[in-house]
Amino acid sequence: MFFATVGLTTKYVALRTGCNGFRRLSIIDVSGGHQPMANEDGTIWIVFNGEIYNHLELRTTLEKRGHRYATSSDTETILHLYEEYGDACVDHLRGMFAFAIWDTRNKSFFCARDRLGIKPFYYAVRGTQFAFASEIKALLETPGLSSKPQSTCSTRVFCFGLYLF
């Protein structure tokens, strides 16, 4: 199940791969940019945190290539970029962002954040479980995920600045 909470409403989308939760602070297209957002045929889904500064320029280019928009949201621009360029969609983005895309066509999960890490993207992997969030406190709410560091963690923290749960 894929779900998102927007204001007082929660949107659920059934997927066989797991569960995602999302709470949105609306800035661009307050009324139409609800998430998770899907492309036209429902094969690609995105959750997105941030702002794409050049989304209007990208939108014009993508519309000329035949992409149709249902909203004015910069989130939808990322979806269309992914349809057009795949993982290389990030090469076209100017802004601060972190997002995750689920592509049902090839059952792939693609995550990215801006080059400077302005928008955080915390994640944890436990066996077959992958969890992500924009805040560590949200990530720690994941069932089965412990805040206790791994025993081999201290060297990585001091050498590389990595903290593994």
Side-chain angles (χ1 to χ4, degrees):
M1 171 130 345
F2 193 108
F3 70 91
T5 302
V6 183
L8 298 176
T9 62
T10 300
K11 182 176 180 181
Y12 295 91
V13 179
L15 298 175
R16 294 183 182 156
T17 58
C19 180
N20 289 329
F22 184 83
R23 184 172 299 264
R24 177 177 183 237
L25 170 63
S26 304
I27 296 174
I28 296 177
D29 194 4
V30 175
S31 63
H34 301 300
Q35 296 183 39
M37 182 180 285
N39 63 345
E40 301 90 336
D41 63 4
T43 58
I44 302 172
W45 290 86
I46 187 171
V47 289
F48 163 67
N49 177 25
E51 183 178 357
I52 305 304
Y53 306 138
N54 63 331
H55 84 96
L56 292 175
E57 171 190 327
L58 293 168
R59 179 184 179 122
T60 301
T61 302
L62 290 163
E63 286 176 328
K64 286 178 183 174
R65 291 175 164 257
H67 292 273
R68 299 190 188 274
Y69 279 72
T71 72
S72 299
S73 173
D74 50 355
T75 306
E76 191 173 6
T77 295
I78 300 170
L79 272 174
H80 291 299
L81 278 172
Y82 180 82
E83 288 176 314
E84 192 73 26
Y85 301 107
D87 297 358
C89 66
V90 296
D91 297 336
H92 301 269
L93 299 174
R94 286 195 328 261
M96 54 180 182
F97 57 86
F99 63 83
I101 293 177
W102 169 244
D103 189 336
T104 65
R105 300 169 304 178
N106 56 23
K107 296 188 178 17
S108 66
F109 194 61
F110 173 64
C111 303
R113 73 170 193 188
D114 61 86
R115 292 153 195 81
L116 297 176
I118 296 169
K119 287 297 179 181
F121 187 89
Y122 298 104
Y123 68 94
V125 178
R126 280 281 177 237
T128 60
Q129 181 185 34
F130 177 83
F132 66 94
S134 60
E135 295 183 10
I136 289 179
K137 65 183 178 182
L139 188 62
L140 291 176
E141 294 298 319
T142 305
L145 190 62
S146 169
S147 61
K148 182 180 176 187
Q150 296 176 356
S151 59
T152 59
C153 184
S154 59
T155 303
R156 293 182 188 135
V157 169
F158 293 118
C159 292
F160 307 111
L162 301 174
Y163 183 77
L164 305 174
F165 296 101

